[in-house]
Every structure is written in structure tokens, then in C-alpha cells.
Amino acid sequence: MPAPRSSQRRLPAGARRLGAGLMWFAVLGGITAWAIHLVLAWGTVELACTRAETGPGGEVTVLGMSLRGFVAAVATAIPLAVAIASLIASWRFRSRQLAGEHRETAGDEPRLDRAVLMVQLGLGLNVFSVLMIAFGGLAVLWFSPCT
Amino acid sequence: MNAVDMRSVSRATEPEALATERPRGRTPAWWGMVLLITTEVVLFAVLLASYFFVQFTTEGPWPPGGIRTPELRLPLIMTVLLLSSSAPMAWADRAIRRGYQGQLAAGLALALLLGAAFLTLQGIEYDTKLAEFTWTSYAYGSLFYAITGFHGFHVAAGLFMIGFTLVGTLRGRYTYERHERVRQVAFYWHAIDGLWILILSSLYLSPHV
Amino acid sequence: MVARQHGRTRIQRRPGGDDEPPRPSFVRLVVTAACALTIAACDSSAPSTLSPAGPAARQITGLWWLLFWISAVVSVVVFVLLGRAVLRGRRAGERVNTRSGNRFVLIMGVALPVLVLAGVYVVGLRDMRALQHDGEPAAYTVEVVGHKWWWEVRYPDDGAVTANEIHIPAGEPVDLELTTEDVNHSLWVPELAPKVDLIAGRTNTLRLEADEPGEYRGQCAEFCGLQHANMAFIVVAHPPEEFRSWLANESEPAPEPDTQPAAEGLEVLESSSCATCHTVRGTEAGGTLGPDLTHLAGRRYLGAGAVPNNPGHLAGWISDAQSIKPGNEMPPQPLPSEDLQALLAYLETLE
Amino acid sequence: MTVKPDTTTAASAPRAADDAVGERLSETWPEEHGLWAWFTTVDHKKIGRRYMVTAAAYFVLAGVAALVMRTQLAGPNGDVVDPELFDQLFSLHGTAMIFLFATPMLFGFGNFLVPLMLGTRDMAFPRLNAFGYWVFAAAGILMFGSLLFEAAPNAGWFAYVPLSGSDHSPGYNLDVYTLGLLFLGVSTTAGAINFIVTALKLRAPGMSLNRVPVFVWAIVVTSFMVIFALPPLNVANAMLFLDRRFGTNFFDTAEGGDAVLWQHLFWLFGHPDVYIIVLPALGIVSAIVPTFSRRAIAAYPLIVLATVATGIISFGVWVHHMFAVGLPDLSLTFFSAASLIITVPAGIQVFCWLGTMLMGRLVLNVAMLWVLGFIVLFVLGGVTGVMFAIVPFDQQTTDSYFVVAHFHYVLFGGAVFPIIAGLFYWWPKFTGRMTSRRGGLWSFWLTFAGFNLAFFPMHISGLLGMPRRIYVYPGDTGWTVWNLLSTLGAYLLTVGLLVTLGTLVHSLRRGERATDDPWGGETLEWAATSPPKVYNLPVIPTAHSLTPMWDERSLASFTDGIADDERVLAHQHAVLRTSELDGRLEHPPLEMPEDSPLPLVVAASLFAGTLALLLGWYEGTLVLLVAVAALCWWLWPHRSPIPEDGADGGGGQT
């Protein structure tokens, strides 16, 4: 492959490693957060309700928190925050870092084209993840667990 | 965050850095083994998930039916043996990449020995356990023996692979230029070790919490 | 296993009873139109989800029509675009368009669907909430136990036990506590409420309510083996007073036989293998494998909907149930003809 | 991306190259004939064709089972088969269509096409590939053969416990199911790993991720799904087998086991599996539509996104098969959300095809007609799919005929139609023969009409309260007329499929000889001869765009490469290795194995071991030692002049 070899050398290896890591976070961060949200939220609701370990006041508790509190905070809000972070990363990488560069070198530099495809995938996956977690969050606010 | 860090972050978001190709340069065999290990890890994850699912849907004490909480002394010795076998394996792998066939043979032999010791102890553990409960003693017994037995089977398979590689080594088949097999076997072995830690913490440690 | 309470039906007593229209007129219009097209569809005997007779089923019928119309619009849009593409393709020589198409797909394939789906999701949640009854107590609790391949129906407060018929008071919510004796089953009365499975080792609850007195067909909806097809039942909704008298009668033990053949029949029942599997309360027959026969004569069907309950079918059922419902648990009973006649005479008295 | 669909250069450039170097290559990639070669071949094209033919045979068998059931259900109180046989028929129909037809058929397409589309010469692990085929073929024989002994699976393709336990299902039926699927799983997993590695490492130089054909993306995503979805199925089946045979209690509720655990494990596999079937089929559509629209696929990044997103999200929707189980409502909503969102990627794909057609010039031919029919059916199946994501509606209609209608629209409409479209499209490449247009038109319209007549009425019978999996129904329920229509449709559908089969088979004898690129396709398989030579492409091209066959520079690389031995690799039985994301050339080339009887030996002894286990003859499982010995032979490190790992390999592993 032509030209970019030289420009590659400019960057320290650490920055490139970090860059590759950030890229993969922008691609897979949101969907991973969703997967964790799903397993945690479903798992705690189904299993806690089956076992129904009730705390003071007859409420079902998980790790000392109310079930609803646990599902809302630990299983939903935190993954949502991660997914949003990943969404922002993919959005910024696409619109600022790569898009401009891409326009100048379009077609000649498969590496950048490939990177653009990856952030586009990441952007889409992140949008889906945020939507799914948010939908789940809506239900957590609306439904009381174990009914 | 200090200024230097900021600079390295902003550098890392330069197009060149983001477009760094990673992973790359792996061999097809490397990918094959990684994917095989992935599917095996999922297999064990599902088994352990089943274990916890049954635990949480079971009323009363866990383990159920008067089965005692597993003792830790023997499993911990087994853990030490198995984990320490990863070191000679890694050492052997490094050695052959530099072309040292003798070190490769020694490393493999040591790993083989440690793994075999693990299996022997597992046999001893089964002997005492089976006197207390069997695979037909509640779902707990079924899960306990299925998970540990399946892992033991993997250890045995790993030992067979190490032995097979050792024979090849003694025949001089692994060289500076051709040593992919060693690397794959090492990977598999490390994965089995890692899985054991999951099993130890789920089946042996978690009931003590 | 802990019994979990899962109500599915909102208590939705209609004010004023009969003079309120049972469903929005728009929906009724569409149903009528659909029926006109598909005459058999509204065969009054069909246990149709589209002609709901209880609040829960009605809620879902409304949901169905919403989903149906959205689906219709989506399909039409796609088909129109497809037709356009085919027609345009016929016009040769048009210049090839090299646009990426991203915008078209983003709008049609992402933005619009997400908006529609968000709306649908919220409606779905709303209806789910509507089907939860929020702890409002039921008028009665009935235990339903699934068996291969029949339904045991118990009224624990009154001691009544019957089979394959669930009697309820119309207009009052009834909770069914669902358990199974063997494999998984699923209780489904399409006109009244969504289905709930009977899961081995667990207890589920289904709230059932019928607007009007009547009979509603139900059937097992989870494959449960050889005679899954013949595991039907009926829900009989009575006017409330009639229900109470039915329940009082059903709770009574069997009447003493008052004729000679009937008395002989009772003797046959108690001395033959019948008694090892069946219970007739007030007699020595106390088996628990088969359905309770205490008020057999009052039932509409034999063998969980397999055949109507009349003396001919009953005789056939007793002598060889396997030919009617192959694989069921009742072995053939080769009784001498006079014993069979006496037994039938007795069973006829079990109103 | 600019596209010049100029077919004249497309056909001639690779041809010239072929003549120049074909001779040299046939030394290292010889064409083998004869019985021994038939049993030992590792050629991905032969294996691919075998997969397709075998899967088609299993399709016919499973289809006959369906026809018998439809005959039974034509009217009330049907008396064609007894319930025992009926249960085996519907269980086998579902199991076979999913495991023995759909997945292997699409693996067949993948086997034949992926290396060609990537511009390489075989799969990454050719012997593993051959092994996978033999295992699949044997698993099918086991499953269908069991019917002869009245021992076919009879608890549905989902085999819920406790019904599938030994108390309620004595006999071998469920053992055939559990062991058969475990055995088959080996094949599927091996195939999936092979596809992924091939697509990651053997792409033509220059084929960075953004230039990978959508079909290959689909196969790769599918393969990743297999890697993650099969373990739950395997675990569940192994547990069920142990419960039945050795008295363990995984699912025995009386002994602390859990019956719902089976459902979770099964559907954790089962729902992704739906997409394992549908995604490659959609990939076929994405390959056909651009060719006949005379432009590259619209919104390529979005269709790739749709494929990847479907693959991942499909793992988060399994509980929508369990909405009626009585789980807490809140836990259902998470799956309702995911089940709704997963329809968005499906919509994206539909609009990508529509956009491609609208912005191109549509050429209607038989393959494209099947694609249009597919889009209609897939949309109809998709909208009912959305309905099942809504919890209350699902609770009302699940396990009714409405579901049967829905998933036949999705799986028959969404997978069989594309498969047939793909057969018509690639038939010239598979066989070297063109198919009859008239036969193709008849086959399409008959099948399309028959399909709708068979399955549309099932929506109505379902809404009218007709449950699934019943072998008889009474006459007074209002279901009769709809069932009669379905049965008539099933017969019409059969006629349509027979005409399809006839058209294809007829072409083998009478069909016109096909040129290399009869449709002016855009991907690299059209650069090969029809049918392709053993070595596929004489010169490994450089991909300069997503549509290399429409791209002057990519085409030029065929002729430019003739003199470059690195692009011809004539002196060694090897293929090029490229980097994972960017498709940059790596050294050294990957050495390919020769034909070998070992795959067959290993598969056969594995099969024998499975049979021994099935029949409870446990000493017989010692035959597995043959497999172990053969594997040792297979994997014995032989001496070779080609090093395995290059000095410039990068990535720090040298």
C-alpha cells in the first residue's frame, strides 16, 4: 500500500494502541453495555422474584438495595451511561476525526475507509443499544417488579 | 489528568491512530484455536449459569439435602498445581520461537507432570465426594459432577495434546520456523487453567460466601 | 418453589351491564367486515380471539387491530416501492444513479421504524399494565391441575372437584391457580384471556372473567404428548346466582342410588378397577389417577372434549377408551354387558 | 462509490489470464477423478455442492412429512396417521428443516462461494471442511433413519422437559434427538470456525473490511452466532441425555432441577438460530439485487450494520418464546424492547434492496423474480414478527397457528425463496449450465401461489383459536375451511417445488452452456470459469473496490498479475494470506493440505461412537479411539519448506 506508511511512523506506538482500543470501544462499547444490562436486569428480576427474599417492609431486596432500585441504578443507568459514552465516541470519530480526512483521500487509502466503516457500524450499534436500554428503563419506571 | 496524558489521548484520536489495524498478522491456526476456545468458554459459561440458575431457584440451604459445603484444602492444592503448569507451558512456547528444542521438551514435560498431578488429585477428591453424594443426588450433584467432570475431561484432552506435542518435539518436528502447533496447544492449556479459576470460584468458593 | 402471583386480567366491570356496547364500534365494524369476507371465520362456535367475551381478551383484540393496521400500512408502502422499482426497470436507458442511498435507507429504514416501534412498545406496555390487576382480589380462586390429557378443576373453599369444565360466575373475576401433575401444559381460552403455561414445579395464576353467561371453548396450547389434540375444556360462565347453586350442588357427595340397576352399578364401580383410579365422593371409590366422577352426568363432554357425554359414548368410553382417544391413561374395561348397563345406570344418576 | 457496470471487460480480462497460467497451476492443483478422489476430496466447491445436494434431499424428506401432516389436517377428525406417527412427523419436520436443511444448505452456498468471492483458492481448513460435510450427512441419516424404527424425535423440535424426559418419553426417540444434535453440532461449529478464519485471513489483497461482499459479511456474522449459540444447545442436550440415561436431575423438579432452565437454554440457542438461517439467505439476496439493478448495493455501511446488529441483538430476544411461561412481567419487557429493535435491521435490509432497485435499472429475470417474491413474503412475516414482540399479543397467539404462519413466512419466505433465487443465480457457476427461463417462471409462480395459499390461512385459523401441534381437530370449531385451504396450498406448493427441481435437473442435461459471467455480476466468483477450476482464479486479483468485477483497476490486476509469481503461486499448493482488517498482503503464503481420507475416517468413527452411545452399547464407544488415532495422523507435524509464520507478520507474535 502506498503513501500512509510514512505518516504512520509519526505516531508513538502507545497512541496507536490506545487509538485501536478507542476504536473498538466506539464499535462494541454500547452493545456490550446492553448485553450486560439485559443479563443483569432480567436475571435479577426473574431470580429474585422466584426466590422472593423479602427485606424489611416486605420488599424484595438485592445486595441490600430494593430490587427496583438495583435494576434501575446498577442494571440500567450504568450500562446506559456506558452506551451513551460509546455513542458519543463513535459520533465524534466519525464526524470530526475521520470524515474530514476521508473526503480528501477517499478511495486511495483503504485503511481510513475501513476505519470509517467501523465507526459507522459502531454508531449504528450504539444507537440501537441506547434505544434498547432506554426502553428497558422505561419499563423499570412503569412496572413494579415481581408482578 | 496532566498535559502529557492529554496529548497522548488527543494523539490517539487522530485518524492514523484510530485506523490502526488491530488485530492483524495472526495466523489462520491462531484464529482457529481462539475460536475453538471461545466456543468452549461459552460452553462452560452456560454450565455455570445453569448452576447459579438452579441455585437461585432452589429453596433452602445450598448445597441442598444435607450435602456439605465443599471443602477447600484439596481444590486449592489442585488449583496451585494447575495454574503453575501454565508457566512451563509459556516458557516452552517462548523457547521454540527462538529455536530451543530442548527447553521446549522440558517445558512440555513439566506441564504434563503438573497436569497429571491435578487429574490424580481430582480422582482422589471424587473418591471422597462420591461417598457423600453422587450425580443423582439432586440437581446439585448432577451439576457438580457434570461441570468438574467436563473440565477434567478437558484437562485430559489437554494432557493428550501436550504429550502428542512432546513426541513431535522429541522427533525434532518443531523448529524456529515451524512451531504453530506448540502455540495452539499452549493457548488451549492456558484456557483450561483460566476456566478452572471460574469453576473454583463458582462451585467451591461461592457456597462459602 | 414459590408460588408466584401473576394476574393477567384487569378487573373491568362495565358500568350499567348490558346496555353498554361491549367493544368500540369501529372495531366491531371491522370485525363485521372481516366476517363478511370470511363467513366461516365468525362461525359462532369458533373460539376466536377476534370475538372477545372478556375484558382481557378484549384488550388484546384492540391491540391486534392496531398492530394489524400498522402492518397493513407498512406492507403497502413497501409493495408500492417494489412495484415502482419493477416499473422503472422497464424503462431502459435511464442513467445509472450512483448515489449511496444512505439517506433513503436512514429515513425509511431507521428513523420511521424507530418512531413507530417506540409507539408500539409504549402501547404494549400500557396493555401489559392493563392486564395486571394490582392486587384486587378475585371473587373465587379455582385450582386447575393439568394432567396427561385432561384438566382437574378444584374449588378448594367448597370442596367441589370436577374435570374439563371450569365454571365461573359471569362478570366476576376468578383466579385460576395453575399447576401440573406431569408435563407442561398451557391453558388457553381465546375468547376470554391470553394463555398461561402450566409449568412443572411451579404455580402460575391466570385471571379469568367473562362478560356474559355462556360457554367458551378452551384447549391446551403447549404440546404435551400423544393426546395434546384432545385436551380441550370449556369455561361455563353462569349468572352469579346460578353459579352459586351449581357450586353448592357440585360440592355435595354423590346421591345414593335410588333404583335397583343404579345400586348394582355402584357395586360394580366399587368392586371393579374403576375405583382404583376414580373418585366418587360419598362412595368407596377414592382413586386419584383419573378425573373425579362425583357429578359426571352433568358434564358436556367425555375425555377432555373427545366425544359428547351421552350414554352411548359413555359405554364406548368405558369399554374401550383407547379406540376413542389412543394413548390415554384409561385401560379398556371388558365388563360383562349387564355390569356395564348397571354401571351406566348408576353414572347417569350422578348429576 | 462509483460503479461502471461494464460487462465486456469483465468477461475478457480474467479469461486471458486463465489461458496463460492455467497450465502451470494444474500441476499443483490437479483435477482428480475416480472413487478414491470422491471420498478424499477437500475441494471447497465439491464439498459445497455436496452440502447443497444432501440438504436438498433432506428438504424433500422433511417436506414429505409436512405433506402427510397437511393431508391429515385437511378436514376435521383426520385419520391418515395415528398420533404417535404424527408427533414424530412434526418433530422431525421442524428439526430437519432447521438443522438438516436450512443451515447446511446455506453452509453449502457459503462453502462454494466464500473462497471465490474472496478471490482465494479454498477454505482456511480444507480437511476440516470435508469432515464437517461427512458428519452432517451422517447426522441426517441417523435422524431420518430413526423414523424407520419408529424412533424419530417426537417431543417437538424444542423438546420441552418434562415431556422429553424418560418418564414421559421412553424409547430411543429423544436419544436420537439429543445425540443427533450433539453430533451435528460438531459439524456446524467446525464449519463456522472455518468460515470466520477464511474470511479474516484469505481475502484477496486490498479487500479491506469495507470491500467485503455483503454475502460474506452475512456468512461471517452467522458463523460467529454459531460459535456463541450452539454451546447452550449442546449443554441442554447433554444434560437431557444424562437425565434420561444416567439418572441425573438437571431438569427433574422433584430433585431440585428446573424445567424452565431447559427453555432458557433452548431458546438462548433457538432464537439466534432463526437468524443463523435467515442472515445468509438475506446475504444471497444482497448478492443478487445489485447485479440485476446494475449498480452497487445502496447504503452498504447500513446493510453491513444491519447484518452485524441482527447477529448480536438476536442473543437478547430469547425470552419472547417464553412470554406465557409466567415469568415476572418486568423481566419480559427487556426482551420485548430487544425484540422490537431487532426488526429495525431487518427493515434496513429491505430498504437497502428497495433503494438499490429504485436507484438502479432493474433487470427482471428468474432469480430476481424469486427475490421480489421473497421481499413480499419477508415483509409479511416481518410485520407479524413485530406483533410477537408485544407481550400481551404474544401471550394470546403464541403456540397457535398464527405462529406457524408467521415463521413459515419468515423461514420459507425468508430463507427458502432466497435459496432458490440463489440456485437460479449461481446455477451457471455451480454447474456450467443455464436454466430454462420458462421453467423458472412456472416454478416461481406455482411456488409463490402455493406458499400463500398454504400459509396465509394459518394466520386466520390461529386467530380463531387453533393451537399448534394437534393431530386432529373437531369439526365444530370453524377451523375446517382454513385447514382445507392450507392443505390445498401445500399440494400446490409441492407442485411448484417439483417444477423447480425439474427445471434445475433438466438444465444439467439440456441446459445451454454457461459463460463465465452470464449476468454481469459484480463479485469475484464471476471471474472464475463456469464451473470454476480447482484453483478457482488463475491470478489472485487485488480488490480496489466493493465491486471488483465492475472496476477497471481490479480487473486489470488479473492481467497485471500474470507475471507476478506471488499472485499465481504456481509452484506451491498454497494460498495468499492477508491481514484481518485491511487485507494487506502477509508472508508467507498459507500451505494447503492435499486430499485426504482422514476426514471421512474421523467422521465415520465419530458416527459409530454416537450410535454405540445411542444404543447403550458403551464398550462400542471405544471405536472413538480410531478417531483419536486418525486425528493424531491428521495433525502430525510434517516437514515442509514453507515456514508457518512470517518475519514481517507483525502483531508481535513472531
Side-chain angles (χ1 to χ4, degrees), chain B residues 76-87:
Chain B
L76 286 177
I77 298 173
M78 287 160 64
T79 308
V80 171
L81 284 173
L82 194 61
L83 293 191
S84 62
S85 74
S86 263

mmCIF file of all heavy atoms in Angstrom, chain B residues 76-87:
data_model
loop_
_atom_site.group_PDB
_atom_site.id
_atom_site.type_symbol
_atom_site.label_atom_id
_atom_site.label_comp_id
_atom_site.label_asym_id
_atom_site.label_seq_id
_atom_site.Cartn_x
_atom_site.Cartn_y
_atom_site.Cartn_z
ATOM 1 N N LEU B 76 -7.760 -26.310 46.506
ATOM 2 C CA LEU B 76 -6.773 -25.230 46.420
ATOM 3 C C LEU B 76 -5.412 -25.773 46.007
ATOM 4 O O LEU B 76 -4.702 -25.147 45.213
ATOM 5 C CB LEU B 76 -6.692 -24.477 47.748
ATOM 6 C CG LEU B 76 -7.892 -23.557 48.000
ATOM 7 C CD1 LEU B 76 -7.791 -22.899 49.367
ATOM 8 C CD2 LEU B 76 -8.030 -22.505 46.910
ATOM 9 N N ILE B 77 -5.069 -26.956 46.518
ATOM 10 C CA ILE B 77 -3.807 -27.576 46.077
ATOM 11 C C ILE B 77 -3.873 -27.866 44.581
ATOM 12 O O ILE B 77 -2.934 -27.595 43.818
ATOM 13 C CB ILE B 77 -3.547 -28.882 46.860
ATOM 14 C CG1 ILE B 77 -3.393 -28.563 48.353
ATOM 15 C CG2 ILE B 77 -2.321 -29.598 46.328
ATOM 16 C CD1 ILE B 77 -3.310 -29.797 49.229
ATOM 17 N N MET B 78 -5.030 -28.375 44.149
ATOM 18 C CA MET B 78 -5.208 -28.648 42.713
ATOM 19 C C MET B 78 -5.040 -27.374 41.904
ATOM 20 O O MET B 78 -4.410 -27.361 40.833
ATOM 21 C CB MET B 78 -6.601 -29.230 42.466
ATOM 22 C CG MET B 78 -6.763 -30.661 42.934
ATOM 23 S SD MET B 78 -8.502 -31.119 43.162
ATOM 24 C CE MET B 78 -9.128 -30.999 41.503
ATOM 25 N N THR B 79 -5.609 -26.285 42.425
ATOM 26 C CA THR B 79 -5.514 -25.011 41.722
ATOM 27 C C THR B 79 -4.057 -24.599 41.547
ATOM 28 O O THR B 79 -3.634 -24.213 40.452
ATOM 29 C CB THR B 79 -6.257 -23.918 42.522
ATOM 30 O OG1 THR B 79 -7.568 -24.402 42.808
ATOM 31 C CG2 THR B 79 -6.341 -22.635 41.746
ATOM 32 N N VAL B 80 -3.304 -24.714 42.635
ATOM 33 C CA VAL B 80 -1.893 -24.322 42.566
ATOM 34 C C VAL B 80 -1.171 -25.152 41.508
ATOM 35 O O VAL B 80 -0.431 -24.635 40.665
ATOM 36 C CB VAL B 80 -1.225 -24.497 43.953
ATOM 37 C CG1 VAL B 80 0.276 -24.314 43.834
ATOM 38 C CG2 VAL B 80 -1.834 -23.514 44.939
ATOM 39 N N LEU B 81 -1.439 -26.461 41.514
ATOM 40 C CA LEU B 81 -0.781 -27.341 40.541
ATOM 41 C C LEU B 81 -1.116 -26.938 39.112
ATOM 42 O O LEU B 81 -0.238 -26.786 38.254
ATOM 43 C CB LEU B 81 -1.225 -28.785 40.770
ATOM 44 C CG LEU B 81 -0.607 -29.488 41.965
ATOM 45 C CD1 LEU B 81 -1.263 -30.852 42.164
ATOM 46 C CD2 LEU B 81 0.884 -29.659 41.724
ATOM 47 N N LEU B 82 -2.412 -26.754 38.880
ATOM 48 C CA LEU B 82 -2.833 -26.489 37.508
ATOM 49 C C LEU B 82 -2.318 -25.134 37.025
ATOM 50 O O LEU B 82 -1.781 -25.011 35.924
ATOM 51 C CB LEU B 82 -4.362 -26.542 37.409
ATOM 52 C CG LEU B 82 -4.915 -26.616 35.990
ATOM 53 C CD1 LEU B 82 -4.413 -27.877 35.303
ATOM 54 C CD2 LEU B 82 -6.427 -26.590 35.976
ATOM 55 N N LEU B 83 -2.473 -24.123 37.879
ATOM 56 C CA LEU B 83 -2.037 -22.791 37.454
ATOM 57 C C LEU B 83 -0.531 -22.759 37.241
ATOM 58 O O LEU B 83 -0.039 -22.133 36.308
ATOM 59 C CB LEU B 83 -2.461 -21.738 38.477
ATOM 60 C CG LEU B 83 -3.966 -21.525 38.587
ATOM 61 C CD1 LEU B 83 -4.262 -20.284 39.417
ATOM 62 C CD2 LEU B 83 -4.597 -21.376 37.214
ATOM 63 N N SER B 84 0.195 -23.441 38.113
ATOM 64 C CA SER B 84 1.647 -23.388 37.956
ATOM 65 C C SER B 84 2.091 -24.128 36.696
ATOM 66 O O SER B 84 3.169 -23.880 36.179
ATOM 67 C CB SER B 84 2.336 -23.986 39.184
ATOM 68 O OG SER B 84 1.969 -25.330 39.316
ATOM 69 N N SER B 85 1.222 -25.001 36.163
ATOM 70 C CA SER B 85 1.613 -25.699 34.941
ATOM 71 C C SER B 85 1.606 -24.771 33.730
ATOM 72 O O SER B 85 2.163 -25.100 32.690
ATOM 73 C CB SER B 85 0.683 -26.878 34.688
ATOM 74 O OG SER B 85 -0.575 -26.417 34.239
ATOM 75 N N SER B 86 0.927 -23.636 33.862
ATOM 76 C CA SER B 86 0.920 -22.693 32.742
ATOM 77 C C SER B 86 2.293 -22.085 32.508
ATOM 78 O O SER B 86 2.645 -21.738 31.381
ATOM 79 C CB SER B 86 -0.091 -21.567 32.999
ATOM 80 O OG SER B 86 -1.301 -21.856 32.346
ATOM 81 N N ALA B 87 3.068 -21.938 33.581
ATOM 82 C CA ALA B 87 4.380 -21.285 33.454
ATOM 83 C C ALA B 87 5.325 -22.087 32.556
ATOM 84 O O ALA B 87 5.852 -21.532 31.586
ATOM 85 C CB ALA B 87 4.974 -21.058 34.838
#
